[in-house]
Amino acid sequence: MLWRGSQALRHFSTGRVYFKNKLKLALIGQSLFGQEVYSHLLKEGHRVVGVFTVPDKDGKADPLALAAEKDGTPVFKFPRWRVKGKTIKEVAEAYQSVGAELNVLPFCTQFIPMDIIDSPEHGSIIYHPSLLPRHRGASAINWTLIMGDKKAGFSVFWADDGLDTGPILLQRSCDVKPNDTVDSLYNRFLFPEGIKAMVEAVQLIADGKAPRTPQPEEGATYEGIQKKENAEIPWDQPAEVLHNWIRGHDKVPGAWAEIDGQMVTFYGSSLLTSSVPAGEPLDIRGAKKPGLVTKNGLVLFGNDGKALMVRNLQFEDGKMIPASQYFSSGETSVVELTAEELKVAETIKVIWARILSNVPVIEDSTDFFKSGASSMDVARLVEEIRQKCGGLQLQNEDVYMARKFGDFIQKVVRRLRGEDQEAELVVDYVSKEVNEMTVKMPYQCFINGQFVDAEDGETYATINPTDGTTLCRVSYASLADVDRAVAAAKDAFENGEWGRMNARDRGRLMYRLADLMEENQEELATIEALDSGAVYTLALKTHIGMSVQTFRYFAGWCDKIQGSTIPINQARPNYNLTFTKKEPLGVCAIIIPWNYPLMMLAWKSAACLAAGNTLVLKPAQVTPLTALKFAELTVKAGFPKGVINIIPGSGGVAGQRLSQHPDIRKLGFTGSTSVGKQIMKSCAVSNLKKVSLELGGKSPLIIFSDCELDKAVRMGMGAVFFNKGENCIAAGRLFVEEAIHDEFVTRVVEEIKKMKIGDPLDRSTDHGPQNHKAHLEKLLQYCETGVKEGATLVYGGRQVQRPGFFMEPTVFTGVEDHMYLAKEESFGPIMVISKFQNGDIDGVLQRANNTEYGLASGVFTRDISKAMYVSDRLEAGTVFINTYNKTDVAAPFGGVKQSGFGKDLGEEALNEYLKTKTVTLEY
């Protein structure tokens, strides 16, 4: 009853179908799978009378226990149920006390005695991740892949005293894809569909319709848990069998082979369907043919002449590397010098001796800086080598990266041979002749400084909202791709140049990147218009322009992040010095929305990088292209490999994995409140990673009759229709004082009629298409709901009859506080107007604050005292007075209440990506 698999959380609906018959259930098990089964059974009206799970580990309760304890459900945590074959009396009494009618075991690692299994009226049902009886035992998912099964699935069966041998209640199956892994199979099918099936099984029992189909003997197998000693790769097999063996053992225990006398474990296998690339031979013990270390990974050969590719290798000391880097991984011997190279080494030794005059003899272990050298000596060393070694050009950073003389000579020799030059960035573009230019759009994942296909080769279409056509197909990142990106970011932070780079040099790279973004602003703005529907002129000024400003602003902060000294009580007769240090967190994840694809990237990643972190960024699935173009520019700017990684794909796969990944220390998210809550939950359950959330809004804009009406009309329209209404701080509801209400509405409609709706690349266009089809349909439904509830549709509310996803700017009046339009964010070009009585300041404030959101707000009035009174009482992270949408890179931005917490922009944003360390010394 023990099975394995990545427990990545998935969210779905089983459908709200309520039945008459309900049961009292005991849940026995653990894990996120168990938690989800518990929650969905409660939603269906069943009563869970007790949860029996494992004891807390390291003070941390199991997810199932956490959910049950929160609900007040009785929770029992037993380390075991029996001793020497007999049920523990106290455990049995506790179980009997809840009076369950059915035991449900969604995931259980403990052996449950048969007197407990058979105790309830309806017995016990268990989930098993195989199509019983095909694979019984604990490693069922692994064996499904190892054996090359074309079908996978799960069974819900009635427990008996055998090992997974009880009658079948129901089964579900799915196809096994050629490059499926344990993780992908589990997350795509076994987890989400398994939860639905457990709920269905319980209801079948409650309704008296549950079958008991005996398991056939034919085809029955039992395979034990695979152990490392049994996972050595059997080489005399076809390529597909080798591939199945490797992917079936990934991640535990890991298939391995002996290379250069040590055990090397293989991860990330895929069948090679293209021609075999060029590479360097690698001898592997037992293999009939040497492997090939290529730029994409390690190619292995079956006895049928076909090939497979392995992405990652792990050595006995735990170090994991991309297989493509095997010969540069530090596992090979030091470079042997030729006679000419020895002469260069002697010349350099003389230079070192002159600079380090206090050192009697320069040896391989001599450390340049520990011997007293300063930054001025670094410049001198680089210049003397250039003069005396035939113009050999080194960088100051080369000295910092190779501080010891022996390491430095190795670096110099590799430089002379051209071995340490960065591989040229290879980019497969989709090119388009548009907007009087050729735009070149990368479309692959960007991981560890290279554009690469998703590991399983999956892609998806990104759509031009102007006409509904496909711009290109973009790599769809899998869980394995996320893990590779995180591993690259972690290595760059812990072992790479970035982690050792001084702050001023980090700032210089960010300035260089900002310059490149500005140099390419027309192309970036064009891609933004194509992919998101942003009007080109707005994209040029705001989407791209503010992104450039953001990187320049935070580049200036790099060398200004400071701690402080703190006077404390002295430990007499000694003295103490206490100070704080601000340090980077490590690997950070950033998940951004689709309304400002590049600007949202800049707002978060610039602060993250300035603080010294590395990052993995997931752009919105529908707008990935400017993020991938940005990745290309980071290479041109000189950012080290692994510092910045971009993984396009879905929130349910890539985003969820980021929120759960144990190596990520911070997650910054902009998006909906509902998704933000799930992310916060996953971040807490996984490793308590730091979180900042910028979530939904329903920002009130209060317009008093003593305002400057022309300005209020102009800026009120901007507050709603800016960027097609796809604006997180858009005024979600306008409160207009009764005295000017009708005139305000009339003038707004007059101005709307002047707006040009059309191609965002047309310089005269005011209003482009909505971002994607599903969003347009949601907006149209929003308008239909408003009309049904009795709000007055003054203008618009319809789709524009032309290709693409265009919507008319829309105005509703007569919106009352109880209506859907008054409560929910549209995130589109829909102006929602409510009237308030003349002079009723406190009343309108109460209405404005009567929302769970608190992102932004605004007020228009000539009375400064009134303006300040209102701004003091509005519950929002930002208040605009006689203006709107005025954000600046130096001003912190973020919400309160269910609009989230944490800040983007300004000095405060740095604190989201830093940790404070207190140091006390005694002297």
Side-chain angles (χ1 to χ4, degrees):
M1 288 175 272
L2 171 65
W3 52 278
R4 291 194 178 106
S6 169
Q7 296 168 7
L9 185 59
R10 292 287 174 270
H11 304 285
F12 52 84
S13 170
T14 58
R16 289 296 186 90
V17 181
Y18 291 96
F19 298 86
K20 178 180 178 181
N21 303 307
K22 302 299 170 187
L23 293 175
K24 293 189 292 182
L25 309 174
L27 251 71
I28 305 175
Q30 63 208 75
S31 81
L32 290 170
F33 185 84
Q35 179 197 59
E36 287 292 294
V37 170
Y38 165 82
S39 298
H40 282 81
L41 286 170
L42 290 182
K43 287 179 183 177
E44 295 301 322
H46 296 285
R47 182 183 171 196
V48 179
V49 292
V51 165
F52 298 83
T53 187
V54 293
D56 296 355
K57 185 177 180 180
D58 299 325
K60 180 180 177 182
D62 181 81
L64 173 57
L66 286 173
E69 288 168 347
K70 181 180 177 181
D71 293 338
T73 301
V75 177
F76 304 86
K77 302 176 183 180
F78 299 130
R80 63 188 62 84
W81 288 70
R82 64 178 191 172
V83 174
K84 295 181 179 180
K86 294 185 178 180
T87 305
I88 300 171
K89 180 181 178 182
E90 293 79 4
V91 173
E93 290 174 350
Y95 169 79
Q96 295 295 341
S97 70
V98 303
E101 297 170 325
L102 172 70
N103 292 332
V104 178
L105 284 73
F107 175 82
C108 185
T109 59
Q110 297 174 312
F111 189 95
I112 311 301
M114 285 308 299
D115 54 343
I116 301 294
I117 291 291
D118 294 335
S119 176
E121 174 186 347
H122 297 289
S124 301
I125 59 170
I126 304 175
Y127 174 93
H128 193 273
S130 85
L131 296 172
L132 291 173
R134 172 62 175 152
H135 297 292
R136 292 171 173 163
S139 294
I141 310 178
N142 304 75
W143 284 105
T144 296
L145 297 176
I146 293 170
M147 300 301 290
D149 293 358
K150 302 303 180 184
K151 288 283 185 181
F154 58 80
S155 307
V156 179
F157 70 100
W158 300 91
D160 69 354
D161 58 358
L163 186 65
D164 310 329
T165 57
I168 303 296
L169 195 160
L170 60 79
Q171 292 183 318
R172 297 286 184 269
S173 66
C174 69
D175 292 332
V176 178
K177 296 181 181 180
N179 291 321
D180 260 332
T181 64
V182 170
D183 283 354
S184 67
L185 197 56
Y186 177 75
N187 288 289
R188 186 180 82 246
F189 186 79
L190 299 178
F191 186 99
E193 296 302 320
I195 294 165
K196 294 178 185 179
M198 288 297 283
V199 175
E200 180 183 346
V202 170
Q203 194 58 56
L204 286 170
I205 295 169
D207 294 340
K209 300 177 180 179
R212 292 177 178 262
T213 306
Q215 291 191 39
E217 290 299 319
E218 183 179 354
T221 65
Y222 173 80
E223 302 98 349
I225 298 174
Q226 272 296 75
K227 297 180 180 179
K228 193 72 176 182
E229 58 265 28
N230 298 326
E232 184 175 4
I233 299 171
W235 287 108
D236 193 16
Q237 303 285 344
E240 185 174 355
V241 174
L242 298 179
H243 165 62
N244 290 336
W245 184 268
I246 294 171
R247 67 174 175 151
H249 287 84
D250 183 355
K251 302 284 186 192
V252 178
W256 61 276
E258 185 179 310
I259 304 176
D260 289 337
Q262 68 168 312
M263 179 190 292
V264 178
T265 303
F266 294 51
Y267 295 106
S269 173
S270 59
L271 289 170
L272 192 64
T273 55
S274 58
S275 59
V276 176
E280 189 172 351
L282 176 64
D283 289 328
I284 304 172
R285 196 187 76 166
K288 302 301 181 184
K289 184 178 179 180
L292 279 181
V293 177
T294 74
K295 67 176 184 178
N296 295 323
L298 174 62
V299 177
L300 304 172
F301 298 93
N303 61 11
D304 56 353
K306 296 181 180 180
L308 59 145
M309 177 84 75
V310 169
R311 297 282 186 181
N312 299 305
L313 302 174
Q314 187 172 37
F315 298 104
E316 290 179 350
D317 61 3
K319 180 182 179 182
M320 182 178 287
I321 64 164
S324 60
Q325 297 179 10
Y326 180 84
F327 289 115
S328 58
S329 67
E331 303 302 316
T332 55
S333 59
V334 297
V335 174
E336 293 186 11
L337 277 57
T338 65
E340 192 62 34
E341 290 164 349
L342 283 169
K343 290 180 182 179
V344 173
E346 287 301 319
T347 300
I348 293 174
K349 180 177 285 191
V350 171
I351 298 172
W352 273 56
R354 280 202 297 264
I355 295 173
L356 305 177
S357 56
N358 57 313
V359 178
V361 180
I362 303 296
E363 299 176 336
D364 283 353
S365 60
T366 302
D367 188 299
F368 192 69
F369 296 100
K370 288 184 178 180
S371 300
S374 66
S375 58
M376 285 297 296
D377 296 318
V378 172
R380 174 183 169 184
L381 176 61
V382 169
E383 284 302 305
E384 282 203 53
I385 289 174
R386 184 177 63 81
Q387 289 178 349
K388 295 181 171 59
C389 297
L392 175 60
Q393 187 63 58
L394 299 175
Q395 303 296 324
N396 290 3
E397 195 62 34
D398 293 325
V399 186
Y400 292 109
M401 296 290 288
R403 305 159 63 105
K404 295 181 179 180
F405 182 75
D407 295 337
F408 186 75
I409 293 299
Q410 291 286 307
K411 176 172 277 292
V412 167
V413 171
R414 288 193 170 95
R415 178 65 52 84
L416 287 168
R417 297 179 181 182
E419 293 177 3
D420 69 340
Q421 299 300 309
E422 288 288 335
E424 182 180 353
L425 179 67
V426 177
V427 188
D428 288 334
Y429 296 109
V430 170
S431 298
K432 288 189 178 295
E433 297 294 331
V434 63
N435 201 24
E436 300 180 354
M437 69 181 76
T438 302
V439 295
K440 295 182 176 181
M441 299 176 288
Y443 58 87
Q444 297 166 292
C445 300
F446 182 74
I447 299 173
N448 203 29
Q450 296 292 326
F451 284 103
V452 294
D453 290 334
E455 185 164 287
D456 57 10
E458 293 287 328
T459 64
Y460 70 95
T462 184
I463 304 299
N464 183 345
T466 301
D467 57 14
T469 60
T470 297
L471 284 167
C472 64
R473 295 197 67 82
V474 179
S475 291
Y476 186 91
S478 66
L479 295 176
D481 297 311
V482 176
D483 290 347
R484 282 196 295 148
V486 173
K490 184 180 181 184
D491 186 62
F493 181 79
E494 295 179 352
N495 306 312
E497 177 185 350
W498 184 255
R500 296 188 291 271
M501 187 179 294
N502 70 60
R504 202 159 294 167
D505 289 338
R506 191 163 66 242
R508 189 171 66 249
L509 284 179
M510 293 181 66
Y511 277 123
R512 191 181 302 159
L513 177 57
D515 290 344
L516 284 169
M517 292 167 68
E518 189 170 51
E519 290 172 18
N520 292 271
Q521 61 182 336
E522 289 85 2
E523 185 177 16
L524 287 166
T526 302
I527 297 173
E528 198 93 324
L530 292 173
D531 205 22
S532 77
V535 171
Y536 175 76
T537 51
L538 176 64
L540 200 60
K541 179 182 183 297
T542 301
H543 290 230
I544 313 305
M546 195 172 187
S547 300
V548 173
Q549 292 177 28
T550 303
F551 268 93
R552 285 188 176 140
Y553 174 81
F554 283 107
W557 267 111
C558 287
D559 61 354
K560 300 174 186 66
I561 299 171
Q562 301 176 357
S564 59
T565 56
I566 303 171
I568 66 170
N569 287 337
Q570 304 297 334
R572 295 180 181 178
N574 297 316
Y575 294 92
N576 296 102
L577 172 63
T578 296
F579 60 92
T580 60
K581 299 171 64 181
K582 297 286 188 179
E583 297 180 341
L585 297 167
V587 181
C588 297
I590 293 173
I591 302 175
I592 57 173
W594 43 257
N595 57 330
Y596 294 101
L598 188 64
M599 195 173 79
M600 292 295 97
L601 176 153
W603 279 24
K604 295 187 187 301
S605 63
C608 173
L609 293 168
N613 302 286
T614 57
L615 67 90
V616 179
L617 182 138
K618 195 201 84 64
Q621 184 170 347
V622 292
T623 54
L625 296 182
T626 43
L628 295 171
K629 189 67 179 180
F630 167 84
E632 179 189 351
L633 296 180
T634 67
V635 177
K636 293 181 178 179
F639 277 77
K641 289 183 176 181
V643 174
I644 297 167
N645 303 272
I646 311 288
I647 48 167
S650 74
V653 177
Q656 186 63 36
R657 177 58 178 157
L658 288 172
S659 67
Q660 291 181 310
H661 203 291
D663 289 333
I664 289 173
R665 296 301 171 190
K666 160 69 196 284
L667 190 146
F669 171 76
T670 295
S672 70
T673 297
S674 59
V675 175
K677 289 179 178 179
Q678 294 298 334
I679 283 175
M680 189 174 177
K681 177 181 177 182
S682 297
C683 288
V685 170
S686 57
N687 63 340
L688 209 63
K689 57 177 65 70
K690 193 174 182 179
V691 187
S692 57
L693 303 172
E694 194 246 285
L695 307 176
K698 188 67 175 173
S699 301
L701 174 56
I702 304 172
I703 301 176
F704 289 99
S705 59
D706 62 354
C707 69
E708 185 182 333
L709 190 56
D710 287 343
K711 186 176 183 181
V713 169
R714 184 176 71 255
M715 290 199 163
M717 291 183 66
V720 176
F721 302 126
F722 188 81
N723 200 47
K724 314 159 296 177
E726 295 168 352
N727 189 21
C728 54
I729 57 172
R733 190 178 182 194
L734 278 65
F735 295 91
V736 183
E737 198 162 9
E738 187 174 11
I740 61 168
H741 176 273
D742 293 348
E743 182 179 0
F744 179 87
V745 174
T746 299
R747 291 175 66 170
V748 164
V749 172
E750 289 174 352
E751 292 302 315
I752 288 176
K753 291 177 179 178
K754 300 174 186 177
M755 294 170 65
K756 179 179 177 180
I757 302 174
D759 184 352
L761 293 174
D762 184 335
R763 305 308 192 264
S764 63
T765 294
D766 298 300
H767 191 81
Q770 304 309 134
N771 188 276
H772 51 281
K773 184 179 180 181
H775 184 55
L776 172 62
E777 292 171 347
K778 173 191 168 189
L779 293 175
L780 295 173
Q781 181 63 48
Y782 187 91
C783 292
E784 289 179 15
T785 301
V787 171
K788 288 178 182 177
E789 286 194 323
T792 301
L793 178 60
V794 176
Y795 190 88
R798 296 170 301 182
Q799 181 175 358
V800 178
Q801 295 307 304
R802 57 171 291 164
F805 313 136
F806 292 85
M807 181 176 180
E808 295 176 336
T810 300
V811 178
F812 278 98
T813 62
V815 178
E816 300 177 11
D817 294 357
H818 67 275
M819 292 181 176
Y820 182 82
L821 269 62
K823 296 175 180 291
E824 295 301 323
E825 179 182 28
S826 72
F827 213 67
I830 302 173
M831 182 177 283
V832 176
I833 301 176
S834 297
K835 186 187 300 183
F836 70 94
Q837 293 182 355
N838 294 330
D840 188 12
I841 300 175
D842 290 328
V844 74
L845 274 169
Q846 184 176 2
R847 296 173 69 190
N849 288 330
N850 186 26
T851 173
E852 276 301 301
Y853 299 110
L855 191 56
S857 60
V859 55
F860 279 83
T861 175
R862 285 191 177 95
D863 186 338
I864 189 63
S865 296
K866 184 191 296 182
M868 295 308 295
Y869 179 85
V870 170
S871 69
D872 285 346
R873 287 158 179 77
L874 281 170
E875 298 169 356
T878 297
V879 181
F880 298 108
I881 299 176
N882 293 329
T883 187
Y884 209 89
N885 284 327
K886 180 57 181 174
T887 55
D888 187 89
V889 295
F893 178 90
V896 297
K897 299 195 288 189
Q898 290 199 45
S899 288
F901 52 84
K903 296 294 182 183
D904 292 321
L905 305 180
E907 182 181 359
E908 287 194 36
L910 290 168
N911 294 326
E912 304 295 335
Y913 296 93
L914 291 166
K915 59 187 178 185
T916 301
K917 177 181 288 182
T918 301
V919 180
T920 298
L921 64 89
E922 188 170 282
Y923 60 96

